[in-house]
Amino acid sequence: MNEITKQVGNLDLIENWQSVANGVWKSEIGDMNSEKRYISLAAEAPRLDRINGLSPTSFPLENCMPSFQDKDGKITVRIPTEKDEHIYGFGLQFDGLKKNKTVLTLNTDHWGKGNGRTHAPVPFYISSRGYGVFFNTARFMKVYCQIGNRKDSQNNPLPVDRNPVSGSEPINPWQAVPQGDAVEAHIIGKGMELVIFGGTSMLDVIQRYNLYCGGGTLPPLWGLGFWHRVHATFDADQTEAELSEFNKKQFPLDVIGLEPGWMSSSYPCTFEWQTARFSDPFSFVERLRKQGVRLNLWINPYISPESGIYEKIYPYSGSHLVWLGLVPDYYMSQARQLLVQQHTKEHLKIGISGYKVDEVDGYDFWLWPDHATFPSGTSGETMRQTYGLLMQELLYKDLFKQNNQRTYGNVRSSNGAASGYPFVIYSDSYNHKEYITGISSASLCGILWTPEIRNASSAREWLNRMQTVCFSSMAKLNAWATGLQPWSFSEVEDAVRQVIQLRMRLLPYIYSSFANYYFNGVPPIRAMILEDDGNTEIETRIDSQLDSEANPYAMDKIIEKTDQFMFGPSIMVAPFYENQATERYVYLPPGKWYDFYSGQYAGSDTTILVKSELLNDKIPLFVKDGALIPMLKQDVMNTEEVIGHDLEVRHYGVDDGTFQLYEDDGKSFDYQKGVYRIRTLSFTNQRLTETISKDDADSMFGSVSLKRMI
Amino acid sequence: MNEITKQVGNLDLIENWQSVANGVWKSEIGDMNSEKRYISLAAEAPRLDRINGLSPTSFPLENCMPSFQDKDGKITVRIPTEKDEHIYGFGLQFDGLKKNKTVLTLNTDHWGKGNGRTHAPVPFYISSRGYGVFFNTARFMKVYCQIGNRKDSQNNPLPVDRNPVSGSEPINPWQAVPQGDAVEAHIIGKGMELVIFGGTSMLDVIQRYNLYCGGGTLPPLWGLGFWHRVHATFDADQTEAELSEFNKKQFPLDVIGLEPGWMSSSYPCTFEWQTARFSDPFSFVERLRKQGVRLNLWINPYISPESGIYEKIYPYSGSHLVWLGLVPDYYMSQARQLLVQQHTKEHLKIGISGYKVDEVDGYDFWLWPDHATFPSGTSGETMRQTYGLLMQELLYKDLFKQNNQRTYGNVRSSNGAASGYPFVIYSDSYNHKEYITGISSASLCGILWTPEIRNASSAREWLNRMQTVCFSSMAKLNAWATGLQPWSFSEVEDAVRQVIQLRMRLLPYIYSSFANYYFNGVPPIRAMILEDDGNTEIETRIDSQLDSEANPYAMDKIIEKTDQFMFGPSIMVAPFYENQATERYVYLPPGKWYDFYSGQYAGSDTTILVKSELLNDKIPLFVKDGALIPMLKQDVMNTEEVIGHDLEVRHYGVDDGTFQLYEDDGKSFDYQKGVYRIRTLSFTNQRLTETISKDDADSMFGSVSLKRMI
């Protein structure tokens, strides 16, 4: 490359691209020695073997080379874009997937309000042109996505007079935000690592990103059952009484979560049992386990002076307190060891299955300030961007994986390279429509999201939220504040029980979908744009009318349709979520779609109206032609009943189809050493056949039998 | 100072305090060579002589020495505070004056939403303990105001269990935001200059700040008359017809403002006349001037390719465009000269009186990005913090002051050290209550603010907004979008005319109040907390109740009473602003207060209920005991009629009193060379006396006569 082309306006071309694997390139800008990479916090090493097994792809930015600027303490990157290119992602964003013509501040925060600040502000985006960009540096980042016009660009539109004299009105009216021709983003820091992913489709790009980050997580089977977090002040007796009620009412239950009251002092935390509520934690946990139920503990990371590890961890904590508790610096092994020892002794040894890690997203009003310092030398800013990741890493690697025991839990913040972690993000925000958008949004950035149910203003809302959460990564009622139970709205008790039972019966299908996440990086629950590469993206553009009073800056509004999503390989979910609505529109992409419940043909490449039955709603589910869906033959109360259970394999439509049924022990990490089975189910010539493509473990499920849904 | 005390936790004490004048100290942290100071953009040099004339005061932070940290590209400053200390300021903030327990991001932006981003994010605060702190560095700043607890602090409250077991509830319940003991603030940059102001009162501190920034501005007399901005597409004939209507309807008018349509192309701008609308600008301006009316021109700074200066100014503009127009770098003399030449020839020479400088606050969606570069080496960030100031400096110094002609106009952003500029900030936000809060807020940071009227949903609202704006720095109807006139709501035409006439009759009082701003730094319109040093601050604290669902973080809410303010030395204004309200509460501080209109005693140190007359409202005005208020004897249509006009000097209550009536030519800068008069009016022994304390100019007003308001 000669000297002249190295310069793009007053930026420099990014060079020294290093090919990491098939379709993955990286380059460093500035000095990365003093910066932290998200990737170094990943659960597992990059799965280069799996990436290299994907279709070959060439460097996607050959004709739009990225450039950079290192100035005024900022590293800026510019990646040219085409006018009609769509940009999706940038983490868990509740206001939509498409980020064209947007400015985002990627800064970990509680609640996502659409400005980029969110629980998981992952600096990764994918383009409709079939590539992805990962800004692999743990700093706040400000992104101008097709916003801004450089004066030396060749692609700028012509300026337009905003107040033309009558008769000289321009063809294209004035706009407040002229079309930009790049993504420009900057961090304040010394260096940045940029990772580019190619792909034959957007899904292919996502797979590469997830595999590069170590592959998707495979939760223990029990993690995919039903979860119930009891009221924060419940004691052992109250908790066990609640479990009895689940049994009496015939509601499945796999995990009970305790909220802060289990601890001797919380906000800040001791991590020690509140003996006034739980006099004998060991026996308590054991009694639950005998009924097939596991216990999950709420924590936040801030350490109370009343905690036994306070004095020892003090030197390894940051300059500022949170709720007057220490903020441990888990980049220091001394701090990690102290926590691991304490948690092992007090929780793991008595059978605790996992954690809900609260408050790691923070809010400026109570978190450490950005200028806080930490003994490892990590900046307050980087600590904020990575604290959720760091807690996941610590608990996953040092506590559970160390003991060859899978875990599943919650965390309230995450970031880049998180796909391998068995932690599901949740929020306090609680808008049902946004929660559904979150399901799609999460699939674009290697995270899991639960639209957990807490409360409802009506039985209808209760039912619809329960349905949504049963088709998410974690089917959970979080009653920490309300004390509600799944049957609290009696008008919908049966309908709620049915949808929870449906989730349970789908567990073979769901578990295999997660295996596909682990092995191939395919998100188990996915945005519709990943199904057909965005070709059927539905959006409503509300064109701006320049109105001096109501709309003085003439900004267009784009409303994306993000209220339906893919669940596993072949089920499309379209929840009801508007409380009073008696119907909703569902878009059926090209290809034939069938009603999940009846097997009836529903349509192809069309929008249909689905009627609600209000208090008897079933969640609208549509299945692809030829799909095979392995389900339990009978209802179960718990995932322990799943083992050895015979399967009904539903076939929809007319096409042939296959399904790779994944099996392992459901709880250890032995699958990572190859101890698993794959039973390939095929529907051809109107019948079901089964072949074992891999057989290095015991079977998980019983025999399979075909059920044709026609 | 020995080595041990230099260290405060892991911060270093700020040393090398330099005494600049009586009660003013400054110190530099880090490297200021590559940073810009707001003070270097001030209208005038620091008025050290005036500062030294104030009461002596000692270094106010002797017992709470500021410390700093220079790390990770950030300069952080920590200033200890007492628990009960009140912190006010940080620029034009519409959500209140007090900033305790708040996090602010001081970043120039359009619309103030309460997070610090606002039209004038001035990094200056005052404390109820009688000092002020000015962060004199043109960077974004993040402020944690009594938010955050350092682990090495001696003042931290004790942690509290958030979920205590029954019977062990703590005396002080858990709070999401524990009491902090400092203001901590950081910029991302290499250096910071800190300026500390002492004072015997908060007003004394504000005076020092304003005088240090060159003193307050003294507008031309005509600037204090009534302003009317016509519809954006008006041509010369329509504008002149509008003026005729003002005359016919007997509504005073001093300035007509033209909106973008005057220009051949706007957004971006040419600064050249749209000849289809204004075929002969010179004659047009001359015809207005003959009727005593001046012309003000709307501009924004972004330069259209159709502008005659586009090619020449191109090299002196930034890397990015705004609305596809160039962003001139006015830190470069080449760019300044080009604009000054163009404006002088096309505007100043034909009699234009000033400008409304729009869009200098910007919005991330259309302004240059923070990483934009400018040929002077100024960063995009610093350019954003100072662009409004820079435009004021350029127009004030190079255009008007150069020609010994005072100007008055509008600007949509400002920042530190702006008190000397004759530009009034305005907004698109338009909430009447917030607009009233803005009046008080502006007085704490050396800026002027107009709650301009644009439209109303009812005649009542129209009247009340008109009343508010007549008691502000600029009495202006901005009809750019609505085309409305003061008499557009016929039900309140008389009441509107009356309040505009009242403003006109008060001009001697108002003009003298501005002279006091210029000479002594006393804001002409002031927050109530400056009247009695915050002792009568009224606020409602809504104590938080920890509620897991509705208020899970238990945050207190404080509602300040910011709906009344001081206008000049002795009038307190309490506008009606709630559209349907038939009454409002007014707090009367200690000291006797009298009704402005009737002279009746109203109360002392009490809250009274003032009844509204709805469509016949008079704006509630209360006057201090002993006050002298010089007013014109008759109504006038224009400030030209003010010259030589005899004055009625109203005396309220029973106390003796004085008033310094200021006089000069009302239009040139000769007053800065001493060409002015001060007539000291005194009420003693039940009669009015007049002495000329300074007499270096012609008189401005006629003879004075007493009117006792009893």
Side-chain angles (χ1 to χ4, degrees), chain A residues 72 139 142 149 151 161-162 176 184 186 266-267 314 317 319 321 323 359 370-371 412 455 553, chain B residues 72 139 142 149 151 161-162 176 184 186 266-267 314 317 319 321 323 359 370-371 455 549 553:
Chain A
D72 191 38
R139 288 279 185 180
K142 194 162 176 182
N149 306 83
K151 74 175 179 183
D161 183 17
R162 189 175 162 186
E184 295 197 358
H186 69 254
S266 66
Y267 287 84
Y314 188 98
S317 66
S319 57
L321 306 174
W323 294 309
E359 309 290 359
D370 300 340
H371 56 254
R412 219 169 70 182
N455 202 350
Y553 291 104
Chain B
D72 190 39
R139 289 278 183 181
K142 193 161 177 182
N149 305 83
K151 74 174 180 182
D161 183 17
R162 190 176 162 185
E184 294 198 359
H186 68 254
S266 66
Y267 287 86
Y314 188 97
S317 65
S319 56
L321 306 173
W323 294 308
E359 308 291 358
D370 300 341
H371 57 253
N455 201 350
E549 279 201 277
Y553 291 104

Side-chain angles (χ1 to χ4, degrees), chain A residues 10 69 71-74 76 101-103 107 110 117 139-140 142 144 147-152 156-166 174-178 184-186 188 190 232-233 260-261 263-268 274 276-277 304-306 314-321 323-326 358-359 363-373 379-381 384 412 428 455 480-482 548-549 552-553 555, chain B residues 10 69 71-74 76 101-103 107 110 117 139-140 142 144 147-152 156-166 174-178 184-186 188 190 232-233 260-261 263-268 274 276-277 304-306 314-321 323-326 358-359 363-373 379-381 384 412 428 455 480-482 548-549 552-553 555:
Chain A
N10 48 4
Q69 171 182 288
K71 224 172 198 167
D72 191 38
K74 293 183 181 76
T76 304
K101 281 202 175 191
T102 310
V103 179
N107 185 321
H110 77 168
R117 298 177 74 110
R139 288 279 185 180
F140 301 149
K142 194 162 176 182
Y144 300 75
I147 292 266
N149 306 83
R150 284 188 177 264
K151 74 175 179 183
D152 52 21
N156 289 329
L158 287 174
V160 172
D161 183 17
R162 189 175 162 186
N163 293 279
V165 291
S166 190
W174 182 87
Q175 294 188 57
V177 185
E184 295 197 358
H186 69 254
I188 293 159
K190 291 197 160 52
T233 61
M263 230 185 260
S264 58
S265 193
S266 66
Y267 287 84
Q274 171 52 271
R277 291 187 179 119
S304 164
E306 293 173 35
Y314 188 98
Y316 312 114
S317 66
S319 57
H320 287 71
L321 306 174
W323 294 309
L324 306 164
L326 297 175
D358 207 9
E359 309 290 359
Y363 177 45
D364 280 349
F365 279 66
W366 51 72
L367 210 73
W368 61 87
D370 300 340
H371 56 254
T373 55
S379 69
E381 176 184 338
R384 178 137 182 200
R412 219 169 70 182
D428 282 337
N455 202 350
W480 80 279
T482 60
S548 300
E549 280 201 276
Y553 291 104
M555 294 179 77
Chain B
N10 49 4
Q69 170 182 289
K71 225 171 199 167
D72 190 39
K74 296 184 179 75
T76 304
K101 282 203 176 189
T102 310
V103 179
N107 184 323
H110 78 169
R117 298 177 74 109
R139 289 278 183 181
F140 301 148
K142 193 161 177 182
Y144 300 76
I147 292 265
N149 305 83
R150 284 187 176 263
K151 74 174 180 182
D152 52 22
N156 289 329
L158 287 176
V160 173
D161 183 17
R162 190 176 162 185
N163 293 277
V165 291
S166 189
W174 183 87
Q175 295 187 56
V177 186
E184 294 198 359
H186 68 254
I188 292 160
K190 291 196 161 49
T233 60
M263 231 184 258
S264 58
S265 192
S266 66
Y267 287 86
Q274 170 54 270
R277 291 186 178 119
S304 166
E306 293 173 35
Y314 188 97
Y316 311 114
S317 65
S319 56
H320 287 70
L321 306 173
W323 294 308
L324 305 163
L326 298 175
D358 207 9
E359 308 291 358
Y363 177 45
D364 281 348
F365 279 66
W366 52 73
L367 210 75
W368 62 86
D370 300 341
H371 57 253
T373 56
S379 69
E381 176 184 338
R384 178 137 184 201
R412 220 171 66 181
D428 283 337
N455 201 350
W480 79 280
T482 60
S548 299
E549 279 201 277
Y553 291 104
M555 293 179 77

Side-chain angles (χ1 to χ4, degrees), chain B residues 643-658:
Chain B
I643 308 300
H645 203 110
D646 287 345
L647 304 185
E648 158 188 311
V649 179
R650 294 191 180 182
H651 175 262
Y652 287 83
V654 292
D655 263 14
D656 288 353
T658 65

Side-chain angles (χ1 to χ4, degrees), chain A residues 170-218:
Chain A
I171 299 161
N172 297 310
W174 182 87
Q175 294 188 57
V177 185
Q179 179 69 42
D181 62 350
V183 172
E184 295 197 358
H186 69 254
I187 57 157
I188 293 159
K190 291 197 160 52
M192 189 193 276
E193 182 180 278
L194 208 60
V195 189
I196 307 293
F197 300 93
T200 55
S201 65
M202 287 200 285
L203 180 57
D204 201 40
V205 172
I206 295 279
Q207 287 180 250
R208 272 190 178 75
Y209 170 78
N210 287 335
L211 290 169
Y212 185 70
C213 299
T217 187
L218 178 59

Side-chain angles (χ1 to χ4, degrees), chain A residues 407-429:
Chain A
T407 183
Y408 204 45
N410 288 111
V411 69
R412 219 169 70 182
S413 82
S414 198
N415 216 314
S419 58
Y421 285 115
F423 287 91
V424 185
I425 301 176
Y426 62 102
S427 178
D428 282 337
S429 56

Side-chain angles (χ1 to χ4, degrees), chain B residues 206-372:
Chain B
I206 295 278
Q207 287 180 249
R208 273 190 176 76
Y209 170 78
N210 288 335
L211 290 168
Y212 185 69
C213 300
T217 186
L218 178 60
L221 184 65
W222 55 261
L224 301 173
F226 193 79
W227 290 58
H228 180 63
R229 305 202 75 91
V230 297
H231 192 278
T233 60
F234 265 23
D235 62 17
D237 289 346
Q238 288 168 308
T239 307
E240 288 183 79
E242 190 96 328
L243 170 54
S244 300
E245 283 290 299
F246 269 80
N247 290 333
K248 213 163 73 188
K249 293 269 188 183
Q250 289 287 300
F251 273 82
L253 186 62
D254 261 279
V255 185
I256 282 182
L258 297 182
E259 289 289 311
W262 74 267
M263 231 184 258
S264 58
S265 192
S266 66
Y267 287 86
C269 295
T270 59
F271 310 127
E272 295 159 17
W273 289 88
Q274 170 54 270
T275 51
R277 291 186 178 119
F278 298 90
S279 58
D280 183 356
F282 177 77
S283 307
F284 170 68
V285 174
E286 199 174 42
R287 286 195 300 277
L288 296 189
R289 280 293 293 117
K290 277 188 183 144
Q291 298 178 75
V293 170
R294 283 166 173 83
L295 200 66
N296 176 288
L297 296 180
W298 174 98
I299 55 170
N300 75 40
Y302 314 114
I303 298 184
S304 166
E306 293 173 35
S307 167
I309 59 172
Y310 179 87
E311 296 293 342
K312 284 185 189 153
I313 216 165
Y314 188 97
Y316 311 114
S317 65
S319 56
H320 287 70
L321 306 173
V322 174
W323 294 308
L324 305 163
L326 298 175
V327 183
D329 182 347
Y330 291 124
Y331 284 107
M332 305 202 72
S333 59
Q334 298 95 327
R336 291 174 84 104
Q337 279 167 21
L338 284 163
L339 194 82
V340 167
Q341 281 163 14
Q342 197 276 345
H343 278 33
T344 302
K345 184 173 161 233
E346 299 259 349
H347 312 154
L348 209 64
K349 291 284 188 210
I350 66 171
I352 294 304
S353 69
Y355 297 92
K356 168 184 172 179
V357 186
D358 207 9
E359 308 291 358
V360 282
D361 42 5
Y363 177 45
D364 281 348
F365 279 66
W366 52 73
L367 210 75
W368 62 86
D370 300 341
H371 57 253

